[in-house]
Amino acid sequence: FEAIRSGRASVVTDRIAEITADGILLESGDELQADIIVTATGLNLQAFGGIELSLDGERLEAHDTFVYKGHMLEDGPNVAWSIGYTNASWTLKADMTAQAVAKLLVYMRSHGYTHAIPDRQGKAVDSRPVVDLAAGYVTRSLNELPKSGTERPWSVRQNYILDRIDARFDDLTESMTFGRAAKSSAAGTASSGTANVYRIQPRK
């Protein structure tokens, strides 16, 4: 900061067109004189830490799905993940996610459900990026991340107060399909693999 204030250093935001004999040629046409160039590619975001998800043997592409209530994945049975706020502490949303998942598990156990699947039930939803930053490391990774909708319960908001209110009065059955996996036989062998699925329509 002292170097910038004194005028000995400056920050330029641009894209590199090519490396020249004397430095770096930018796409804007300006050329930066350089004795040393230190390369740094920045971050590459990954959804779910790079884990490949599959459903019934078919790959579940994250960028084709919407995030449900900011912490679950559309069409993913019992799939929850944590994405925090970009305008506040990341752990504020992470704590809310943990509480929401615990609340859902209690509900499932009390009703004998083995899986919960966020389900749009054919409803069309407009999409937007799940992370509301224009940073290069975000924009170049959008095809790796799930989408946010523009309306709840498919929207990912950056508002802790509103999220906290929604969490307090959350309807666990909203746009959610619950089911019970088939039980194993008495001999301990696996059953045919069928499951009973119960679709619960959102409350009006």
Side-chain angles (χ1 to χ4, degrees), residues 32-175:
L32 303 179
Q33 303 294 315
D35 297 318
I36 298 174
I37 299 173
V38 180
T39 60
T41 58
L43 299 172
N44 287 316
L45 298 181
Q46 287 183 319
F48 320 114
I51 295 173
E52 292 187 4
L53 302 179
S54 63
L55 182 61
D56 296 330
E58 294 188 11
R59 182 168 176 173
L60 187 62
E61 299 290 354
H63 62 268
D64 291 334
T65 62
F66 285 90
V67 176
Y68 173 80
K69 296 185 179 179
H71 64 268
M72 292 187 74
L73 193 65
E74 175 191 15
D75 294 334
N78 302 346
V79 177
W81 72 316
S82 179
I83 180 169
Y85 295 112
T86 58
N87 58 5
S89 172
W90 191 271
T91 53
L92 287 174
K93 190 61 176 288
D95 287 347
M96 290 178 62
T97 294
Q99 293 168 4
V101 171
K103 186 177 179 181
L104 178 62
L105 291 175
V106 170
Y107 178 86
M108 291 170 61
R109 176 173 292 181
S110 67
H111 288 76
Y113 297 130
T114 59
H115 50 275
I117 308 172
D119 185 357
R120 278 189 291 138
Q121 301 168 0
K123 181 180 179 180
V125 178
D126 293 331
S127 66
R128 65 183 181 186
V130 71
V131 180
D132 66 337
L133 293 177
Y137 71 91
V138 173
T139 57
R140 67 172 175 263
S141 301
L142 291 178
N143 62 339
E144 300 292 333
L145 303 173
K147 300 174 290 188
S148 169
T150 56
E151 57 185 88
R152 69 175 317 280
W154 305 102
S155 60
V156 178
R157 290 185 304 207
Q158 300 298 321
N159 190 313
Y160 174 73
I161 300 299
L162 292 181
D163 284 347
R164 198 73 199 174
I165 293 173
D166 278 354
R168 181 176 178 83
F169 302 101
D170 187 27
D171 178 5
L172 296 175
T173 67
E174 182 182 16
S175 298

Side-chain angles (χ1 to χ4, degrees), residues 112-115 178-184 191 193-198:
Y113 297 130
T114 59
H115 50 275
F178 293 93
R180 299 184 180 99
K183 296 180 180 179
S184 300
S191 65
T194 60
N196 298 317
V197 177
Y198 303 86

